[in-house]
DNA sequence: TGTGTTCTCGTAAACGTTTACGGAAAAACG
DNA sequence: CGTTTTTCCGTAAACGTTTACGAGAACACA
């Protein structure tokens, strides 16, 4: 059906070797011959069969992204990933690389799904997200010697892979600074109960800022919940029922913030009036919620592009003249001040 | 590095043909030999190289999903797709098929990105979403003779491909019925201005129900806007400024509903009190918004699974004993009554 | 003219599979 | 024991590429 390099060769009455060389821009082919080959390729609508190419070159020219819903996230997923993927894919496409998405079991972090990709060599590298503090997937890929990069840091695997993360620590600090400047002393921190690394980073910043302001860290104001709206609802209710209520809450997750505001509304507590609310990762929800939620916003699409670059820089086949480099970056978040604090 | 079928053969001192047959469960191989092969495969950690297999069999065992952000949707994407993808992938995985995601240019519906997949044969079939009434991608795939299925109907391509859609028409009807039953006569319909097919279906249902109730369709109450929060904000403002305000609004898109409610809030109009609001496609936003928005909810994850089945049933290589079938289904939405109407 | 260099191309092997074909050995059958 | 059938396995080709190697022709240079 589709034309192969053999068809071109037959059509032009030359050998397949020459056709291949002409197509790949090698030097040892006559200029006029190359022209004829390119024309014929256009005329016969030729494009190279990726399977054949992969087999010969030992590279698939595709990168796998592991998209793993959180547990309890069945109904709707994080809007976070679409723009990130857009950027990732755009950058990969510039290097003629495809993006393949492998979905993990919601909640589970075992590397089973990854194993398939690695062992059958369906991709040349992997991009991980939602990194945990101790991450089985990172351990597995490291041991297997399979190239990868992560969106988010982890304690697993050392500094052997590229990673791009958001500065949750700094955001935690800034949030506290902002609230303290507005007179708050009792500031709650609500984060997911999973081992997700950003929960720790956020808390580090939160604690650090409190101490800097000479405010004692009250364990009763730090709470973990399920990483979705229901979890936010539950944990917020609990925190607000404590004897010594907070006057401000920092949510470390947008979904939890939504659920939390629901709980507040039911208790007759209005964000922006009766309590201050800041969300660490902004989504459209925050903007269109009433009241609009003050939040820290990441640049997702540029982050996707950047992580693609960083991954490629670590791969021998794509690294530039300086050779392979392991790049790790932490990007700042931008505070978007709205009505809730 | 990774072991091949040749390694197994050498290790067992038999031919690669026998190894392959043993691995693939063919009948013409001695039971004991098969055992030895399987053991060796486990011991040497063998798994078949997908490129080699694809080349030989002319099939990649991967399905491409085209994920195409709407224009103006750069910052965050639709939460819609993650659970759908989860189901799609889960079902494909049961047939040992991979899912590949190809992102389109936001807004553009030309088939360029698809062409790559088709021409270099990187996938065995394609799944499309966000179908438009006239869809270049469907035309292209049809002409190319490349197998595909769609989430959403279209007028392009006839009935030659499997499709699964939500019953937007019925949802439009039900929304009107519900509002009329509550005494509303001036009901606005707000939908995206793009050529997206569901916008038409929704409007058909809306008009049909109005006529059934003997209510004249007022063109001033039907409005199109950009398919995001900003678009919803703008078009809702416009509609509410008309001389003869509606007492109810049906939003055909969750993002537009959010923006619309923002506009209402700024005008001091409270959904559930001063105006009734119904949203056609539910998201977590609707649930945690204040007031919680009455909405129609799809079963995204099951839909993903089902569309995978339907696609496979249309492919000769996977069709069951009854042979290939083109299945088209339209699934109902479930009304989730909340506080906004 | 002879020698060395450059340009251009064909040949063939290789990547890892699957599978059609045929043949040897074993089993079944008379 | 001879013939036929069955069981099992090896051989080799094929899928579509890329690329190392070598060879012929053209050219440069002395």
């Amino acid at each position: 059906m589709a034309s192969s390099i053999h068809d071109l060769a037959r059509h032009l009455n030359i050998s397949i070797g020459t056709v291949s060389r002409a197509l790949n821009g090698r030097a040892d082919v006559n200029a006029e011959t190359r022209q004829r080959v390119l024309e014929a390729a256009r005329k016969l609508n030729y494009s190279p069969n990726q399977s054949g190419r992969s087999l010969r070159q030992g590279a698939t020219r595709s990168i796998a992204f592991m998209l793993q819903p959180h547990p309890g996230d069945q109904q709707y997923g994080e809007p976070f990933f679409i723009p990130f993927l857009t950027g990732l894919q755009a950058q990969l496409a510039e290097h003629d690389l495809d993006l393949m998405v492998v979905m993990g079991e919601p909640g589970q972090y075992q590397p089973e799904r990854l194993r398939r990709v690695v062992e059958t060599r369906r991709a040349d590298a992997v991009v991980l997200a939602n990194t945990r503090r101790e991450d089985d997937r990172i351990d597995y890929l490291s041991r297997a010697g399979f190239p990868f990069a992560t969106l988010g840091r982890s304690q697993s695997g050392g500094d052997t892979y590229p990673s791009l993360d958001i500065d949750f620590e700094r955001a935690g600090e800034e949030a506290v600074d902002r609230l303290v400047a507005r007179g708050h002393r009792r500031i709650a921190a609500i984060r997911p109960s999973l081992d997700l690394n950003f929960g720790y980073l956020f808390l580090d910043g939160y604690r650090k800022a409190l101490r800097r302001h000479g405010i004692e860290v009250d364990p009763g104001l730090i709470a973990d919940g399920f990483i979705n709206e229901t979890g936010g609802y539950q944990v917020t209710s609990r925190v607000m029922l404590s004897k010594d209520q907070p006057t401000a809450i920092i949510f470390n997750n947008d979904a939890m913030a939504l659920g939390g505001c629901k709980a507040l509304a039911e208790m007759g507590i209005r964000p922006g009036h009766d309590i201050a609310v800041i969300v660490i990762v902004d989504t459209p929800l925050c903007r269109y919620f009433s009241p609009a939620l003050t939040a820290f916003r990441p640049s997702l699409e540029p982050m996707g592009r950047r992580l693609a670059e960083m991954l490629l820089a670590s791969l021998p086949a794509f690294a530039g003249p300086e050779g392979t480099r392991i790049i790790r970056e932490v990007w700042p978040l931008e505070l978007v001040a709205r009505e809730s604090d």
Side-chain angles (χ1 to χ4, degrees), chain A residues 85-97:
Chain A
L85 278 178
T86 305
L88 190 66
Q89 204 267 359
Q91 192 65 28
L92 291 177
E94 291 192 7
H95 294 265
D96 197 42
L97 286 163

Side-chain angles (χ1 to χ4, degrees), chain A residues 190-234:
Chain A
I190 293 183
R191 58 173 195 144
S193 52
L194 294 174
D195 187 40
L196 293 162
N197 199 43
F198 67 75
Y200 295 95
L201 297 169
F202 158 64
L203 216 54
D204 288 346
Y206 165 85
R207 289 210 186 89
K208 190 167 154 193
L210 282 183
R211 274 194 290 266
R212 181 154 41 73
H213 290 288
I215 302 174
E216 197 184 346
V217 177
D218 178 355
L221 291 178
I222 300 176
D224 297 349
F226 219 55
I227 187 168
N228 60 18
E229 289 86 357
T230 308
Y233 180 91
Q234 292 168 341

Side-chain angles (χ1 to χ4, degrees), chain A residues 32-199:
Chain A
E32 190 222 0
T33 310
R34 185 191 310 279
Q35 273 312 313
R36 290 177 49 225
V37 170
L38 292 179
E39 268 175 39
R42 206 151 9 89
K43 203 175 104 194
L44 299 192
N45 200 11
Y46 168 82
S47 44
N49 179 303
Q50 184 56 35
S51 301
R53 188 178 260 188
S54 296
L55 179 57
R56 168 65 214 226
Q57 299 189 323
T60 61
R61 295 204 78 82
S62 85
I63 306 293
F65 175 75
M66 187 172 190
L67 180 55
Q68 190 150 28
H70 293 305
D73 200 28
Q74 282 89 343
Q75 191 54 25
Y76 289 95
E78 306 185 46
F80 198 93
F81 288 119
I82 307 283
F84 174 78
L85 278 178
T86 305
L88 190 66
Q89 204 267 359
Q91 192 65 28
L92 291 177
E94 291 192 7
H95 294 265
D96 197 42
L97 286 163
D98 280 313
L99 177 67
M100 168 174 181
V101 168
V102 11
M103 311 272 310
E105 290 292 324
Q108 276 205 310
Y109 271 61
Q110 277 76 33
E112 272 70 38
R113 288 286 168 82
L114 236 37
R115 185 164 287 145
R116 223 180 111 78
V117 175
V118 172
E119 291 182 352
T120 65
R121 276 132 287 167
R122 282 171 185 254
D124 298 337
V126 165
V127 175
L128 256 33
N130 278 344
T131 47
R132 297 206 174 175
R133 201 153 218 221
E134 318 263 335
D135 203 307
D136 284 351
R137 305 169 302 171
I138 293 180
D139 290 333
Y140 167 68
L141 291 171
S142 295
R143 262 200 314 273
F146 199 84
F148 67 101
T150 65
L151 176 64
R153 284 159 285 175
S154 164
Q155 292 186 346
S156 297
D159 281 353
T160 59
Y161 55 92
S163 78
L164 174 58
D165 202 356
I166 292 172
D167 198 343
F168 286 99
E169 189 172 353
R170 186 133 183 284
E173 278 194 71
E174 276 188 43
V176 169
D177 287 348
R178 179 174 170 92
L179 291 169
V180 169
R182 298 178 163 219
H184 296 277
R185 311 276 300 173
R186 294 195 53 73
I187 303 170
I190 293 183
R191 58 173 195 144
S193 52
L194 294 174
D195 187 40
L196 293 162
N197 199 43
F198 67 75

